[in-house]
Amino acid sequence: MPFEQYVLLVIPESEDYNFVYVEEKGLVDFFRPRLSTGEHQHFLPVGPEAIVEVFLPFAIKKQAGTIEIVIKMRTQVAWDEESWEIEVKPEGAPVIKHTSVLLDLKSRALFYEFLDIPIDESPIIQNSLLRRFVAGSPQASISISGDVFGPTSEDISVHYDNAFKGQRSLKSTDGLAFNFGATLWTLHYMRLTNQLTISEATAAFDFLNVQMAGILTQLKLTAWVTNLFQNAMFEEWEYLIYVDPRVLTDAVKFMLKHQNPDGDFGETEFYNITLDHKYRYQKSSFPNDVSIGLTALVTATIKEVVDSLHGTIRKRANQAILRAQSLIFCFKLLSI
């Protein structure tokens, strides 16, 4: 406006918050601020073509939920009213503990009204500003799974972030392979138990295609992922997720390239030690160190996919299986 105006701001009374008074020199006691309820009015002049910023401090009463704040404005020539919805999130800190309860539903249903949650009695850590938890934290999560298979989401896909509640970070191929494998076995379980409806599972198959496109491998992961790809080749859903047989052929060629003359399989030159301790080299009576775990894994994978191979690569795969099995048998004899 080209002239000075007097503005009256009105804050209506609400059960969701109190008004916080700002003391002299803009000071507010953080732990014990001066509060009041009821309607509040704030009168101020606004110069011509000017803007005035007004801070309105509130003390929210709710620990969690949604509140609405309404501000009314009146001048000599106009009035206005604005409202905002504010989501109040509960304070708290994660407690990396859980309570396990066995629900025996074989003969009858049971009803649990209360669950004991193990937490420390006091949040105070002696001689420290840190706290173990925030008292009164009102949020928790419950996960229910059967004794055969774990819980599944509505879209059936399984992501490691959700599976591990953000407590474990998987990177690159490990994470993609976990997502692919967990989702694939979920689909197979639902298919075998007559719970799978293809039209409702299209999002899961889209998820599988995305994860498959991003997988890059080393020898151990090549064997693991190749086994997953083989199990993903199923006639009923071939039009939803298609694994090109050339992928399996190239994967087997890659694995055969890393078989030693003795029959054992060794990691690539980029991984002189297998990242998974179960597949690391073991001292033996052979001239060289042999990774029996890695050899067994790769051999089992090649046996799984050999029927899908064609031509000379199939012959080479069968020969590699025989050499590896002979080595594993000799290793067992020497270990007795």
Side-chain angles (χ1 to χ4, degrees), residues 199-252:
S199 60
E200 297 177 358
T202 53
F205 286 104
D206 291 341
F207 182 75
L208 282 181
N209 282 296
V210 171
Q211 303 306 302
M212 182 173 63
I215 288 178
L216 301 173
T217 57
Q218 45 146 313
L219 188 66
K220 188 208 80 171
L221 285 174
T222 299
W224 184 33
V225 171
T226 302
N227 193 10
L228 292 176
F229 284 175
Q230 172 65 27
N231 285 278
M233 298 173 66
F234 193 68
E235 292 182 1
E236 290 186 10
W237 58 48
E238 194 174 51
Y239 66 97
L240 292 170
I241 177 170
Y242 175 71
V243 180
D244 194 327
R246 290 176 297 181
V247 173
L248 299 182
T249 300
D250 290 343
V252 172

Side-chain angles (χ1 to χ4, degrees), residues 58-71:
F58 296 96
I60 308 301
K61 296 180 181 180
K62 284 187 174 182
Q63 286 190 338
T66 302
I67 67 170
E68 183 182 29
I69 292 181
V70 178
I71 306 295

Side-chain angles (χ1 to χ4, degrees), residues 217-219 254 258 266-273 281 294:
T217 57
Q218 45 146 313
L219 188 66
F254 174 79
H258 293 86
E267 267 297 354
T268 68
E269 62 272 19
F270 303 108
Y271 294 89
N272 56 356
I273 184 171
Y281 290 106
L294 182 61

Side-chain angles (χ1 to χ4, degrees), residues 9-11 19-20 22 42 54-59 69-71 84:
L9 295 179
V10 180
I11 305 168
F19 188 79
V20 179
V22 179
H42 186 62
V54 180
F55 294 95
L56 301 173
F58 296 96
I69 292 181
V70 178
I71 306 295
W84 297 268

Side-chain angles (χ1 to χ4, degrees), residues 60-66 86-94 133-141:
I60 308 301
K61 296 180 181 180
K62 284 187 174 182
Q63 286 190 338
T66 302
I86 299 177
E87 181 184 0
V88 181
K89 294 185 177 181
E91 291 185 287
F133 58 90
V134 177
S137 298
Q139 187 173 354
S141 61

